[in-house]
Amino acid sequence: MEKEIVLSVKRLSKKIGKKTIVQNINFDITKGEVFGLIGPNGAGKTTIIRAIVSLIHRSSGTVMINGKSVADDFKTTIADVGGIIENPEFYMYLSGMENLKQFARMSRKPVSPERINEVVAQVKLTNAINNKVKTYSLGMRQRLGLAQALIHQPSLLVLDEPTNGLDPQGMAEFREIIRSISSQGTAVLISSHLLAEIQQITDRFAIIEKGRLTHIEDMQQVNGGSTPTYLFKVADVALAEGVLRQLNYPFSLDDAAYIQVNTAEDQIPAIIQEFVAHDVAIFEVSAKKVSLEERFFQLTEGGNV
């Protein structure tokens, strides 16, 4: 069964004078998917996002949200979008709740008090929501920005560099919230130059190089694909090789002390039991993952973008 497409971008380009900023951008995002745009600063990520939500004029191309053209029916389509395109702005002298109530009054969709409380809990601000925003940390303001973007129950959430300036705890909290949002069916478009963050949060990613979309890849492929790779550090490599040959497991040498085995996770206990039964001493077992940074350099010929 095909997944429902929430956002469809076709042949999107933006020119300023004679200069082409982004050219011929094409991608779709499905319901409940987290899709990342990655690339260095100045690659065109923010331009793409701003063009999608019509903060800037598109020179050419189409943007469809839930099957409707943004150009043909702006009010209806944009009502299904929530976003943090730049740093979220608030009335600092008001509480978080007062800010959300003000945004709710401006929403094109009716927003009930129950919905506001639901979103406040979702972004983990229940204990601080009645405090003035000027007392909030950066991470709390980012989460309040998420609440603001979500109160009208959008089908598409658009985030441009949302974790900039956050500490590790703030980033971890943000990732958890985004995963919760996507699990409820909201499609998420997120741009970042922080590749480690994108690897942990997205289902697919697109690389933007000098205004062009050059690659789209499933994050599962970066994280090991359908058959992951495991590294066994053993005392006797030759003995371990003999055991694996008897079991018909495909393997290779990663270096002098590690054996690399391609197998499903549920097979690892059986391999360990066989190693122990044949007196193969095991020092370490770990899943081998290529970092998104490594994959980025592979796809961009050394990262020269």
Side-chain angles (χ1 to χ4, degrees), residues 1-7 28-35 66 154-156 181-188 203-204:
M1 183 178 178
E2 289 190 8
K3 292 186 177 181
E4 178 183 339
I5 294 176
V6 175
L7 173 66
D28 296 332
I29 305 178
T30 59
K31 184 176 181 180
E33 180 181 25
V34 183
F35 187 91
N66 292 325
S155 55
L156 174 64
I181 292 166
S182 66
S183 70
Q184 296 174 13
T186 302
V188 182
D203 301 302
R204 287 189 302 144

Side-chain angles (χ1 to χ4, degrees), residues 51-274:
I52 287 171
V53 298
S54 299
L55 286 176
I56 59 175
H57 172 71
R58 295 177 292 277
S59 301
S60 61
T62 60
V63 176
M64 308 283 285
I65 295 174
N66 292 325
K68 296 180 180 179
S69 168
V70 173
D72 295 341
D73 193 350
F74 176 77
K75 287 186 178 180
T76 300
T77 53
I78 214 66
D80 260 338
V81 179
I84 304 177
I85 309 301
E86 297 175 348
N87 291 330
E89 296 293 337
F90 305 105
Y91 300 105
M92 302 298 284
Y93 55 89
L94 297 180
S95 69
M97 179 61 77
E98 289 168 331
N99 270 275
L100 291 181
K101 287 179 177 178
Q102 178 63 22
F103 289 121
R105 284 191 288 269
M106 295 187 290
S107 173
R108 288 191 172 94
K109 295 180 180 178
V111 180
S112 67
E114 291 77 18
R115 174 59 184 168
I116 295 177
N117 290 332
E118 177 185 331
V119 172
V120 168
Q122 189 173 23
V123 301
K124 305 180 186 301
L125 278 177
T126 302
N127 293 334
I129 198 61
N130 291 311
N131 298 339
K132 291 185 177 181
V133 175
K134 67 181 180 181
T135 68
Y136 283 15
S137 66
L138 176 59
M140 292 168 69
R141 289 199 297 273
Q142 287 293 88
R143 282 184 277 144
L144 184 61
L146 269 180
Q148 169 197 329
L150 293 168
I151 55 174
H152 62 296
Q153 294 182 290
S155 55
L156 174 64
L157 180 64
V158 180
L159 305 169
D160 186 23
E161 300 282 1
T163 58
N164 272 0
L166 296 186
D167 59 21
Q169 180 180 347
M171 288 183 176
E173 290 172 343
F174 195 88
R175 286 196 301 270
E176 182 181 348
I177 293 168
I178 294 302
R179 275 300 176 194
S180 171
I181 292 166
S182 66
S183 70
Q184 296 174 13
T186 302
V188 182
L189 172 61
I190 181 170
S191 80
S192 181
H193 64 281
L194 302 175
L195 302 187
E197 281 301 301
I198 287 289
Q199 181 163 9
Q200 294 182 71
I201 201 172
T202 61
D203 301 302
R204 287 189 302 144
F205 66 92
I207 294 177
I208 309 299
E209 295 185 50
K210 299 177 181 178
R212 294 176 180 267
L213 194 160
T214 60
H215 300 85
I216 293 180
E217 192 159 305
D218 194 310
M219 193 61 73
Q220 185 183 40
Q221 295 303 117
V222 177
N223 290 334
S226 56
T227 304
T229 299
Y230 292 89
L231 294 176
F232 291 80
K233 186 176 183 180
V234 297
D236 190 330
V237 172
L239 184 58
E241 288 178 340
V243 173
L244 291 171
R245 286 193 184 95
Q246 291 179 12
L247 297 173
N248 292 319
Y249 280 107
F251 68 90
S252 60
L253 290 181
D254 191 69
D255 63 29
Y258 285 88
I259 293 181
Q260 182 171 290
V261 183
N262 295 95
T263 187
E265 183 181 31
D266 60 7
Q267 295 300 306
I268 298 302
I271 295 175
I272 292 174
Q273 287 174 1
E274 290 292 335

